[in-house]
């Protein structure tokens, strides 16, 4: 098929590259000429595993980059809209980019097209896109709208696209459904997985995936409901972790007991400093807003958001309870991205915490394997940046682990011990076994588990629990 993907961001770029790997002809459209130039010269603007390989394999071949949306529309059978839907001041999704793209598409529909919502959009968007395209002069029989929400996690977006748990397509006509079946045919038929050069299958993959055909509204709701449920699961375990701290239980043990219930499952039960990113925070406020507009007061989502905010404040209080005064203290911070495996710092809990620590007068030296460039744009000259974890820890009053990068879970603890001024680690992502940390001479504080103090005495343990020195 000939496909146009509008918006070469985290979602659009991965979508276009994967469609090309399925055998489709793809035009990736963007209105940021600088971004297009970088892409044409083979630069990859985001940190995604396997994306460089796919762009290398198909760039200039099955993948073209263009700033001309109307030409791309004329040349394609399906146009995927993957432009940003950022939150507005009031918290609902800013749909102005989607609307401007829909209007521009309308002026170039000369044969039947399927216009596909790939961006995360509130329910009813499908109808609005249809209205905008018709209002701008396109005959109804010349196009259909489809909703095809993405479930891509940053850092694993390529494998999430090629080995999805399910593909959701919301359509109102059989004609549009047929086009979408053809587009995803290489996956649903299993053909792609038989290819020698297919992107490697991740452990948990169940291939070939199911194609779930729904109404457009149901597909739009599936996306919001999925993200809201996942965020709720994280806030739930974070609330349980806080209860564990007050009663002296161990949230890791509670998670093992919870996750082995097949109805609950072990994934997305990792307590920490909370969720961030360009999706969960935005999608929850958007879902809350669209539910309210539709007459349902979805207050549960407010509580999910509140717990998530509170998680970060609790961690800051924990840092203060361990260090007493913060002003002038030197902190080695490991992690600035909103999660491990990505360079994205949008709504990063790590970055928000660093800003709060700077506000308290701390001196921060931070290291992140991929996100330091983007963090510099947000933080400016407020902090020092290190070239590795040990440099960040050098002379530190304490080391803070804020992002779950694999490399932060496998540090050379002897070397880390030799770098710090005081052997204190506050782990916001529970990457270590407390016993291993005390064996290496650290006092180790984490989320939902008792403090592990190097001079292990019951008195010290009891008092540290109540935040007393
Ligand atoms: C975006 C939404 O934020 C997300 O909710 C949705 O699920 C998918 O699209 P993302 O890819 O992260 O996710 O957005 P972003 O990285 O901001 O990329 C959007 C791209 O669209 C940018 O490259 C921007 O230049 C481009 N764009 C934006 C256009 O080409 N035209 C526009 O009118 C607006
Ligand atoms: C999420 C959804 O998983 C994905 O399906 C959707 O398409 C986009 O939003 P993403 O935001 O990229 O993906 O990352 P994800 O792995 O979901 O992590 C989101 C946040 O939750 C991160 O800040 C992460 O650190 C945090 N998280 C995740 C936890 O705190 N605990 C967990 O158990 C899992």
């Amino acid at each position: 098929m000939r496909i146009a993907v509008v918006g070469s961001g985290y979602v659009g770029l991965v979508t276009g590259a994967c469609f090309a790997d399925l055998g489709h002809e793809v035009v990736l459209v963007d209105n940021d000429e600088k971004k297009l130039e970088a892409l044409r010269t083979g630069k990859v603007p985001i940190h995604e595993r396997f994306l460089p390989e796919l762009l290398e394999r198909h760039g200039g071949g099955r993948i073209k980059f263009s700033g001309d949306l109307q030409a791309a529309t004329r040349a394609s059978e399906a146009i995927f809209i993957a432009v940003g839907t950022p939150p507005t001041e009031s918290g609902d999704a800013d749909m102005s980019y989607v609307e401007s793209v829909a209007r521009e598409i309308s002026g170039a529909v000369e044969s039947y097209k399927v216009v596909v919502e790939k961006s995360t959009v509130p329910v009813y968007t499908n109808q609005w896109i249809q209205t905008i395209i018709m209002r701008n002069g396109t005959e109804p029989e010349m196009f259909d709208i489809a909703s095809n929400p993405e479930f891509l996690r940053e850092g694993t977006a390529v494998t999430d696209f090629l080995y999805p748990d399910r593909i959701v397509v919301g359509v109102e006509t059989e004609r549009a459904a047929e086009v979408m079946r053809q587009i995803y045919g290489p996956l649903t038929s299993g053909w792609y997985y038989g290819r020698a050069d297919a992107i490697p299958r991740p452990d948990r993959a169940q291939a070939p995936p199911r194609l779930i055909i729904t109404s457009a509204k149901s597909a739009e709701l599936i996306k919001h409901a999925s993200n809201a449920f996942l965020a709720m699961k994280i806030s739930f375990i974070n609330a349980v972790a806080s209860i564990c701290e007050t009663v002296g239980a161990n949230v890791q043990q509670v998670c093992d007991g919870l996750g082995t219930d097949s109805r609950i499952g072990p994934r997305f039960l990792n307590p920490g400093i909370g969720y961030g990113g360009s999706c969960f925070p935005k999608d929850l406020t958007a879902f809350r807003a669209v539910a309210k507009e539709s007459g349902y007061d979805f207050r549960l989502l407010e509580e999910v958001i509140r717990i998530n905010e509170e998680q970060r404040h609790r961690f800051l209080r924990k840092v203060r309870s361990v260090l007493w005064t913060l002003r002038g203290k030197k902190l080695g911070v490991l992690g600035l991205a909103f999660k491990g495996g990505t360079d994205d710092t949008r709504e990063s809990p790590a970055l928000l915490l660093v800003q709060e620590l700077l506000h308290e007068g701390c001196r921060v030296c931070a290291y992140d394997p991929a996100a330091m460039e983007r963090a510099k744009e947000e933080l400016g000259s407020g902090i020092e940046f290190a070239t590795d974890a040990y440099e960040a820890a050098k002379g530190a009053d304490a080391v803070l682990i804020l992002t779950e990068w694999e490399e932060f879970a496998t540090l050379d603890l002897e070397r880390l011990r030799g770098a710090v001024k005081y052997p204190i680690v506050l782990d916001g992502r529970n990457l270590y076994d407390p016993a291993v940390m005390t064996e290496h001479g650290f006092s180790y504080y984490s989320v939902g588990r008792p403090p592990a103090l190097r001079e292990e005495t019951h008195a010290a343990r009891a008092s540290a629990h109540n935040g007393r020195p």
Side-chain angles (χ1 to χ4, degrees):
M1 303 286 281
R2 290 165 300 139
I3 298 173
V5 178
V6 188
S8 309
Y10 282 95
V11 174
L13 201 48
V14 168
T15 298
C18 291
F19 276 154
D21 214 41
L22 296 187
H24 300 306
E25 294 295 324
V26 177
V27 180
L28 266 158
V29 181
D30 205 290
N31 66 0
D32 178 341
E33 202 39 60
K34 275 205 317 302
K35 187 175 279 192
L36 290 174
E37 255 332 287
L39 287 163
R40 286 190 187 108
T41 55
K43 286 202 191 67
V44 185
I46 56 175
H47 182 92
E48 274 298 342
R49 193 159 172 237
F50 300 122
L51 184 59
E53 290 86 331
L54 290 185
L55 291 176
E56 171 72 30
R57 192 183 285 181
H58 303 298
R62 286 209 201 103
I63 294 179
K64 305 267 188 312
F65 298 104
S66 164
D68 184 344
L69 171 51
Q70 297 212 325
T73 298
R74 277 191 286 275
S76 304
E77 293 151 277
I79 300 100
F80 283 70
I81 301 178
V83 294
T85 52
T88 62
E89 288 305 308
S90 58
D92 44 19
D94 174 1
M95 302 306 292
S96 60
Y97 301 126
V98 172
E99 178 173 351
S100 72
V101 166
R103 202 170 30 252
E104 209 174 335
I105 289 170
S106 167
V109 175
E110 295 156 359
S111 59
Y112 175 70
K113 309 286 175 193
V114 176
V115 178
V116 189
E117 296 166 344
K118 177 53 84 176
S119 294
T120 303
V121 294
V123 67
Y124 300 131
T125 302
N126 195 285
Q127 285 172 318
W128 272 115
I129 293 176
Q130 185 139 29
T131 304
I132 293 295
I133 293 180
M134 286 201 288
R135 200 176 275 175
N136 283 275
T138 305
E139 294 305 317
E141 65 279 0
M142 291 294 280
F143 74 101
D144 279 310
I145 311 290
S147 170
N148 174 220
E150 46 86 13
F151 301 100
L152 310 180
R153 289 165 300 154
E154 285 187 29
T156 56
V158 170
T159 41
D160 287 346
F161 188 100
L162 293 169
Y163 296 88
D165 289 344
R166 77 296 199 196
I167 299 165
V168 172
V169 167
V171 284
E172 304 302 334
T173 68
E174 181 45 35
R175 192 178 185 192
E178 195 37 45
V179 167
M180 297 306 284
R181 282 192 200 96
Q182 281 183 46
I183 289 174
Y184 285 106
L187 294 180
T188 52
S189 66
W191 170 82
Y192 178 78
Y193 306 116
R195 275 197 6 213
D197 64 348
I199 293 293
R201 170 198 295 250
D203 302 346
R204 274 188 273 260
Q206 47 181 10
R210 270 186 66 199
L211 180 71
I212 301 176
I213 304 269
T214 71
S215 73
K217 287 196 187 88
S218 300
E220 289 165 337
L221 270 180
I222 288 168
K223 174 65 187 177
H224 266 153
S226 298
N227 271 7
F229 187 86
L230 292 167
M232 180 179 70
K233 197 172 177 184
I234 294 168
S235 281
F236 182 82
I237 201 60
N238 279 333
V240 170
S242 302
I243 296 167
C244 288
E245 288 183 0
T246 49
V247 302
N250 181 320
V251 74
Q252 203 55 53
Q253 295 165 354
V254 173
C255 286
D256 293 349
L258 231 57
T260 38
D261 181 321
S262 58
R263 296 165 303 171
I264 298 173
R267 299 178 70 190
F268 274 68
L269 274 183
N270 306 322
I273 57 172
Y275 61 77
S278 74
C279 289
F280 283 176
K282 161 178 76 70
D283 291 354
L284 255 80
T285 41
F287 196 15
R288 169 103 182 76
V290 77
K292 209 173 180 89
E293 274 158 41
S294 320
Y296 183 79
D297 191 8
F298 205 162
R299 270 174 295 173
L300 174 62
L301 298 188
E302 257 166 36
E303 193 52 17
V304 169
I305 295 166
R306 187 195 66 76
I307 293 170
N308 192 56
E309 290 296 307
E310 177 56 18
Q311 208 53 19
R312 217 176 45 246
H313 301 147
R314 284 181 69 90
F315 192 78
L316 183 62
R317 288 198 293 271
K318 187 171 290 181
V319 175
R320 195 180 283 114
S321 76
V322 171
L323 295 181
W324 188 17
T325 60
L326 293 181
R327 179 164 300 287
K329 290 276 166 64
K330 179 172 184 197
L331 301 178
V333 164
L334 306 187
L336 295 166
F338 81 90
K339 64 179 248 192
T342 180
D343 63 347
D344 197 348
T345 56
R346 289 180 285 185
E347 296 296 312
S348 165
L351 214 56
L352 293 168
L353 252 175
V354 164
Q355 287 164 331
E356 286 159 8
L357 289 165
L358 291 172
H359 183 70
E360 296 279 344
C362 297
R363 286 182 297 132
V364 172
C365 183
Y367 169 68
D368 185 289
M372 288 194 285
E373 277 315 305
R374 291 181 193 274
K376 267 180 201 142
E377 288 160 25
E378 293 210 29
L379 293 173
S381 57
I383 71 171
E384 288 168 65
F385 291 96
T387 53
D388 64 30
Y390 309 100
E391 187 189 337
K394 195 164 167 26
D397 292 282
V399 171
L400 275 51
I401 301 176
L402 302 183
T403 304
E404 66 281 33
W405 279 99
E406 189 51 41
E407 72 175 80
F408 294 159
T410 53
L411 294 170
D412 173 342
L413 295 176
E414 288 311 315
R415 190 172 162 200
L416 189 74
R417 179 80 180 70
V420 295
K421 183 177 170 190
Y422 297 106
I424 297 171
V425 171
L426 291 117
D427 184 353
R429 295 292 182 179
N430 286 10
L431 299 185
Y432 283 92
D433 172 349
V436 168
M437 294 306 270
T438 48
E439 276 158 27
H440 285 81
F442 286 98
S443 290
Y444 176 72
Y445 302 81
S446 57
V447 178
R449 299 184 293 181
L453 307 180
R454 64 194 183 98
E455 58 278 351
E456 181 62 22
T457 63
H458 287 297
R461 184 196 191 96
S463 66
H465 227 17
N466 310 323
R468 282 201 299 278

